[in-house]
Amino acid sequence: GVEVCWAAPADVPRVHAGKRFHIVVDNNGKDLENVKPVADFADQARAEQFLYVSSAGIYKKTDLPPHFEGDEVNPKASHVAVEEYLATLYPAASYFRPQYITGTKKNKDCEEYFFDRIVRNRPILIPGSGMQMTNIAHHEDLASMIAAAVGNYGAKDTIFNCVNDRGITLEGMAKICAKIAGREANIVFYDPSKLDIDGIKKAFPFRNQHFYSYPANAREILAWRPSHKLEEDLAEMYMEYARSSRMSKDLEGAGKFKLDDAILAALEPARVSAW
């Protein structure tokens, strides 16, 4: 009973001309260019709620983690411009700020970074001490949070950190992934600021800092609680990984570990002298 209609954001007003929508959820727009046509259309369609999926990546680095809703954000972030525009157009809009996401069919690597190395008996390279806290949530939990805001008056004009309610260290992530795969975690820590290697900032998929948020508003206003546990989710994702072609693919031959090898080579003198 659900009608699916594909269209570019700019074409939404034309494709749905004359239609009325009670609720509009934008889970696609990272910048104002893509969100504005949808938001303007929602306004013309007299939508009662506009739920925008923003990003927790807009928070400024803090020495007092976790991030709570209302913490200072980077004014230059594209999602901030969208939130500001929606606030003028939709005083009752709701904003959801996700972080790292796990679960089937997600579009970015997360735990795969660790699995790729663990199953090939390669070192797991982690910048810094590995004690940096982060947050990883299952997409079903995030979807349930957004769904809980539908028709909820308390959700209007409110920011929600769309995240799990527990953090995890980067070292802990490596150890859990190795445990699930039935291997030992061979972790190598390094300081990227001391290595002159092109592209080193892209060598690791997580931020090299404490970066995690807490879903305070969702717990208080929406009475939301996550139903997933990260270790169980990672076990499920490992089973999916093991069934995929990626498990047996020649990633070394494809140059997947080129940066890893450059980092390890740069660290070798220091590692030898440490013995």
Side-chain angles (χ1 to χ4, degrees):
V2 177
E3 179 185 353
V4 178
C5 180
W6 298 96
D11 294 332
V12 167
R14 175 184 58 79
V15 173
H16 295 297
K19 295 182 181 179
R20 186 182 176 198
F21 291 83
H22 296 286
I23 300 162
V24 174
V25 182
D26 191 321
N27 186 32
N28 177 68
K30 295 183 178 180
D31 53 44
L32 193 55
E33 180 182 357
N34 283 291
V35 178
K36 190 176 184 299
V38 179
D40 291 346
F41 166 74
D43 182 44
Q44 296 168 8
R46 304 194 304 280
E48 297 166 11
Q49 278 186 287
F50 195 99
L51 312 179
Y52 173 60
V53 180
S54 182
S55 171
I58 66 177
Y59 286 117
K60 283 190 173 182
K61 186 176 180 179
T62 179
D63 293 323
L64 295 171
H67 292 293
F68 283 86
E69 295 92 347
D71 282 0
E72 191 174 4
V73 299
N74 177 6
K76 295 181 180 180
S78 60
H79 289 92
V80 172
V82 175
E83 290 189 8
E84 291 175 344
Y85 179 75
L86 290 175
T88 63
L89 188 67
Y90 267 99
S94 302
Y95 312 91
F96 296 85
R97 296 175 177 174
Q99 211 173 304
Y100 297 115
I101 301 173
T102 189
T104 304
K105 296 183 179 179
K106 65 186 188 321
N107 64 354
K108 289 185 179 179
D109 276 5
C110 183
E111 62 281 339
E112 291 87 352
Y113 172 87
F114 302 96
F115 293 150
D116 281 344
R117 289 151 181 81
I118 291 166
V119 301
R120 292 170 179 80
N121 296 313
R122 290 188 58 93
I124 304 169
L125 274 63
I126 298 179
S129 68
M131 289 296 100
Q132 307 95 310
M133 293 290 295
T134 192
N135 187 299
I136 302 168
H138 197 282
H139 59 70
E140 289 181 353
D141 278 338
L142 308 188
S144 72
M145 182 189 296
I146 296 171
V150 174
N152 190 323
Y153 184 81
K156 296 179 179 181
D157 190 28
T158 304
I159 296 167
F160 297 97
N161 285 335
C162 201
V163 296
N164 201 340
D165 58 359
R166 297 191 67 175
I168 184 172
T169 65
L170 298 179
E171 181 181 16
M173 183 71 174
K175 288 181 176 179
I176 290 176
C177 287
K179 177 183 175 182
I180 290 168
R183 311 285 182 95
E184 290 293 324
N186 177 15
I187 304 173
V188 174
F189 302 103
Y190 66 97
D191 183 350
S193 68
K194 294 182 179 180
L195 301 178
D196 185 18
I197 298 174
D198 288 341
I200 195 168
K201 290 184 178 180
K202 296 182 179 180
F204 191 66
F206 296 84
R207 293 192 183 191
N208 180 21
Q209 64 184 63
H210 287 307
F211 175 44
Y212 72 108
S213 308
Y214 186 75
N217 281 349
R219 290 177 64 88
E220 180 179 348
I221 298 172
L222 305 178
W224 173 89
R225 299 293 185 274
S227 63
H228 284 259
K229 294 182 179 179
L230 182 58
E231 192 163 357
E232 294 175 359
D233 293 337
L234 293 176
E236 179 184 344
M237 293 307 297
Y238 178 70
M239 293 300 293
E240 181 173 303
Y241 179 90
R243 291 191 297 266
S244 72
S245 60
R246 185 165 175 167
M247 176 81 163
S248 57
K249 188 175 181 180
D250 181 15
L251 297 183
E252 293 197 36
K256 178 75 173 181
F257 305 119
K258 185 177 180 180
L259 268 177
D260 286 39
D261 291 338
I263 293 169
L264 289 168
L267 293 175
E268 194 59 33
R271 295 173 73 191
V272 172
S273 64
W275 287 97

